Amino acid sequence: MSFLRVLSSVILIVIILFAVYQAYLWFLRKRSAQMISAMDLNERIRKLQLVDVREAAEFDREHILGARNIPFTQFKMRSGEIRRDLPVCLYDEGGNHLTSRAAGILKKQGHSQVYILTGGLEKWFGKTKSNLS
């Protein structure tokens, strides 16, 4: 086989694996949570728990006012901090891959009202806060 054939085969495999991973996240998100727009979240923000699943440094740089930080790397250990009797909205920077996985964890733990902010922090237009001076 020529080098170009091997390279094109590797690229094709990577693209297929990426597509399969994206399909998995979409399925997980559909099964575990509902998407919520920034406008709808802004109207309901006082009636739900808002959880930022990014790492602490990213959260400290900027986060939605009123959000709590539970980094995805600690999510399984700390998910018990999230009340089951109130709706919860998860967000990350914008890719929704961490929130989809976190929503799956919450769904397995019995949370019935789980939302994911469409577009994450990138699409948020409301108040934000920084913990940096």
Side-chain angles (χ1 to χ4, degrees), residues 13-36:
I13 290 170
V14 168
I15 290 171
I16 290 170
L17 289 174
F18 181 75
V20 167
Y21 179 67
Q22 291 299 318
Y24 164 75
L25 290 178
W26 177 84
F27 178 74
L28 186 61
R29 187 169 48 243
K30 279 296 223 187
R31 194 182 71 197
S32 304
Q34 296 177 353
M35 299 303 288
I36 188 170

Side-chain angles (χ1 to χ4, degrees), residues 83-108:
R83 293 175 49 178
R84 290 183 192 181
D85 61 330
L86 290 175
V88 60
C89 180
L90 306 168
Y91 75 92
D92 59 15
E93 193 66 39
N96 291 333
H97 66 281
L98 295 178
T99 53
S100 297
R101 293 170 57 195
I105 292 168
L106 292 179
K107 193 69 168 181
K108 284 181 185 175

Side-chain angles (χ1 to χ4, degrees), residues 8 18 23-24 26 31 52 58 61 63-64 68 72 89 94 99-100 104-105 112 115-116 121 123 129:
S8 63
F18 181 75
Y24 164 75
W26 177 84
R31 194 182 71 197
D52 185 325
E58 295 170 300
R61 187 174 57 248
H63 60 271
I64 297 174
R68 161 176 29 169
F72 184 75
C89 180
T99 53
S100 297
I105 292 168
S112 59
Y115 300 94
I116 295 174
L121 186 61
K123 299 294 182 186
K129 181 180 178 185

Side-chain angles (χ1 to χ4, degrees), residues 33-118:
Q34 296 177 353
M35 299 303 288
I36 188 170
S37 69
M39 186 176 295
D40 289 339
L41 176 59
N42 196 40
E43 293 173 6
R44 301 171 64 179
I45 199 161
R46 298 204 186 281
K47 298 175 184 166
L48 52 74
Q49 304 168 88
L50 189 56
V51 179
D52 185 325
V53 299
R54 299 173 303 149
E55 292 300 316
E58 295 170 300
F59 178 82
D60 288 342
R61 187 174 57 248
E62 182 182 30
H63 60 271
I64 297 174
L65 188 64
R68 161 176 29 169
N69 183 226
I70 302 179
F72 184 75
T73 54
Q74 303 171 12
F75 203 81
K76 281 186 179 179
M77 294 182 303
R78 295 185 53 201
S79 60
E81 298 174 20
I82 302 171
R83 293 175 49 178
R84 290 183 192 181
D85 61 330
L86 290 175
V88 60
C89 180
L90 306 168
Y91 75 92
D92 59 15
E93 193 66 39
N96 291 333
H97 66 281
L98 295 178
T99 53
S100 297
R101 293 170 57 195
I105 292 168
L106 292 179
K107 193 69 168 181
K108 284 181 185 175
Q109 294 176 348
H111 289 265
S112 59
Q113 291 183 296
V114 180
Y115 300 94
I116 295 174
L117 176 59
T118 303

